[in-house]
Amino acid sequence: MAASVVAGLAAIAAVAATLPGHLQVSMAANIGLSGFAFWLTTSVVWSLGETFLKANLRGIDLNKTTTKRNEHGALVRPIEGIPIPESQGTIAAFVFILVMSVFIPSEFAASGLRRMPPRLPPHAHLSEQLAAVLTITFASFMGFADDVLDLRWRHKIPLPFLATLPLLLVYYANGNVTGVMVPGPLRSILGDSLNLGLLFYVFLLLLAVFSTHAINIYAGVNGLEVGQSVVIATSVLILNVLQLHRIPVQYEEYRDQHAHSLFLIIPFLAVSLALLRLNWYPSRVFVGDTYCYFAGMTFAVVCIVGHFSKSMVLFLLPQILNFIYSSPQLFSFMGIPCPRHRMPAYDMKLGYVMNSYAEFKPTELKRFGPAVFWLLRTFRLAHVRPVGTDGVVQMSNLTLINFLLYGLGPCREDVLCLRLLALQVLSSGLCFAVRFGLASYVYDVVL
């Protein structure tokens, strides 16, 4: 990890040398504060673990030998095991917000060093950064409320809409860019560009809602929530660095957008790396829903600020696949029962994680349930155990985690996490191949 950090800093330094003086000062301050954020997150998580336990913000790692089971390997209820501090994402979010609250005034002060007058006044960028931090703060608060109050989905789904409104309002006031370039083959029909208007804002709102919840439902393995976030954040950092290197100096506005996206993602990456060290297998802390909401909204914010929402969709491809695959259990009208926890099961003898299952009677499925079950069983999209004498069937839970276990077999928990993160890396590689390779075949100019 240290080598990767050094390489990243070297790349950022090389790109920073080509930036205007005021952005160089801001970048130096941002990197320095991010280093402080890494140290502070590590220190506070270590020191406040007992405090969280006393506040009953605790969890038990179900897939460990220290968790009590009966002779058949089934969990004994009430669950007994070693308590682990939960909701540690609260600390990461707090440190991030604290660092950005210190950084934003310094960035605003550094804008006075600008030699050429910008297209937008300095307070326009200031309002955008403040709205970005406000949006992330709202999402983090929502995640902490979910950790403490266990909110229902009908309450959780609409909240990101409200959280994103301040940023979208500033986006509208600072330029209202809602047009997209039309691919070459379609220009004879649609023209060179297409203004989506209100539809573009609807897309951004849906992206914010999806990314906020996507990491939360793609979880259940030590290190996966933070690990996937680190991969996505690293991909965003690389994209911004590449764009700052590629985009000519005369396109100052585009370069500023990617610079401001960098200013948000570097501190996020710092606090996430600090948390990943403690959340990796065997986990010493749980990040809780707070981190999932904090990370998801941060990704939505950086792509709105940096104007690369389409690239973010490709970065989130595993999360999209997991959502589509999980839909029959997430939406009751599709008819497949959904247990409270869909995390992998545990083989006590081998110490491996394996498929977990939902139990139901196919004859009692409602609405679209029979058709969905037939589709999953016929095309072997899930592992289905034979029907018992009582008519109950067992089908592996519909998550990308369980699908990987179904396809590749049981394994250690850390091995499973590495496989899932490798899939996330492949998704980022696909994004870069499309963004800088295939795009040149359908667009005349690729910025």
Side-chain angles (χ1 to χ4, degrees):
M1 185 175 74
S4 301
V5 172
V6 171
L9 290 175
I12 294 172
V15 169
T18 66
L19 296 176
H22 69 284
L23 288 180
Q24 291 183 12
V25 173
S26 297
M27 186 70 72
N30 189 269
I31 292 174
L33 286 170
S34 297
F36 171 74
F38 178 87
W39 170 82
L40 185 60
T41 302
T42 304
S43 303
V44 175
V45 169
W46 272 122
S47 60
L48 291 186
E50 286 297 324
T51 304
F52 276 77
L53 291 175
K54 291 177 181 177
N56 205 33
L57 289 170
R58 63 177 71 190
I60 296 175
D61 200 335
L62 302 183
N63 292 332
K64 296 294 182 293
T65 55
T66 54
T67 304
K68 190 175 180 180
R69 299 173 183 272
N70 61 23
E71 62 274 12
H72 303 293
L75 289 169
V76 174
R77 298 185 183 276
I79 296 174
E80 299 179 17
I82 299 175
I84 297 176
E86 197 165 9
S87 194
Q88 298 302 289
T90 307
I91 296 173
F94 171 77
V95 172
F96 173 86
I97 295 166
L98 177 66
V99 164
M100 289 304 300
S101 298
V102 175
F103 169 72
I104 290 175
S106 65
E107 180 193 9
F108 182 68
S111 65
L113 301 175
R114 186 191 290 263
R115 295 181 179 178
M116 298 293 293
R119 185 185 70 86
L120 293 173
H123 66 262
H125 289 301
L126 173 65
S127 62
E128 186 176 58
Q129 293 287 64
L130 290 174
V133 174
L134 175 62
T135 297
I136 294 170
T137 303
F138 195 124
S140 302
F141 174 76
M142 181 180 68
F144 184 68
D146 194 15
D147 278 331
V148 176
L149 304 176
D150 194 17
L151 300 175
R152 295 181 179 274
W153 276 102
R154 64 173 176 265
H155 301 140
K156 292 190 286 188
I157 290 177
L159 288 176
F161 282 102
L162 301 176
T164 315
L165 288 179
L167 181 60
L168 292 185
L169 179 61
V170 173
Y171 183 90
Y172 174 82
N174 284 357
N176 189 28
V177 180
T178 58
V180 294
M181 298 298 297
V182 176
L186 299 178
R187 288 183 181 175
S188 59
I189 303 173
L190 301 175
D192 292 340
S193 63
L194 183 64
N195 185 18
L196 299 179
L198 182 62
L199 290 177
F200 189 78
Y201 288 96
V202 173
F203 165 71
L204 293 181
L205 279 171
L206 292 176
L207 178 61
V209 173
F210 174 78
S211 62
T212 302
H213 294 300
I215 293 174
N216 196 26
I217 64 174
Y218 187 37
V221 177
N222 285 178
L224 180 58
E225 297 98 317
V226 191
Q228 63 184 293
S229 300
V230 166
V231 173
I232 297 171
T234 303
S235 303
V236 171
L237 186 146
I238 293 172
L239 175 65
N240 284 318
V241 169
L242 286 175
Q243 290 296 82
L244 287 171
H245 175 71
R246 291 177 63 254
I247 298 176
V249 177
Q250 60 265 32
Y251 294 99
E252 182 182 6
E253 182 180 353
Y254 294 115
R255 291 170 64 85
D256 281 353
Q257 290 167 0
H258 286 283
H260 287 102
S261 177
L262 262 182
F263 294 154
L264 288 165
I265 207 63
I266 294 175
F268 172 80
L269 192 55
V271 299
S272 296
L273 286 172
L275 203 55
L276 181 61
R277 293 176 62 215
L278 302 174
N279 184 239
W280 190 254
Y281 176 91
S283 180
R284 286 161 284 179
V285 300
F286 290 148
V287 297
D289 292 335
T290 307
Y291 180 82
C292 298
Y293 287 57
F294 161 58
M297 187 57 80
T298 299
F299 297 143
V301 165
V302 295
C303 77
I304 292 173
V305 171
H307 295 253
F308 53 86
S309 53
K310 298 184 291 296
S311 297
M312 182 57 72
V313 170
L314 291 177
F315 286 147
L316 293 173
L317 187 58
Q319 287 72 25
I320 295 173
L321 293 175
N322 181 65
F323 173 74
I324 294 172
Y325 186 58
S326 298
S327 294
Q329 287 187 312
L330 295 178
F331 300 107
S332 58
F333 70 88
M334 300 189 74
I336 303 298
C338 181
R340 178 172 175 79
H341 296 293
R342 301 186 298 162
M343 60 189 298
Y346 185 66
D347 187 329
M348 190 169 56
K349 295 181 180 179
L350 297 176
Y352 285 179
V353 288
M354 55 186 183
N355 276 130
S356 60
Y357 294 85
E359 296 184 352
F360 54 88
K361 292 183 179 181
T363 56
E364 296 180 357
L365 293 176
K366 300 178 180 179
R367 300 185 184 181
F368 301 105
V372 173
F373 176 65
W374 176 86
L375 183 70
L376 293 169
R377 183 178 59 182
T378 302
F379 292 95
R380 298 182 179 182
L381 297 176
H383 184 231
V384 179
R385 289 175 173 172
V387 180
T389 55
D390 55 356
V392 174
V393 68
Q394 290 185 328
M395 185 183 72
S396 58
N397 283 308
L398 302 178
T399 66
L400 196 57
I401 301 171
N402 277 292
F403 184 78
L404 210 63
L405 287 170
Y406 168 48
L408 301 179
C411 61
R412 277 178 37 134
E413 190 171 355
D414 55 339
V415 174
L416 173 61
C417 187
L418 287 172
R419 289 173 178 175
L420 293 166
L421 294 184
L423 180 63
Q424 194 76 52
V425 172
L426 288 175
S427 174
S428 295
L430 174 64
C431 176
F432 288 120
V434 172
R435 180 69 178 78
F436 300 113
L438 295 179
S440 61
Y441 290 97
V442 293
Y443 293 103
D444 297 330
V445 179
V446 179
L447 286 178

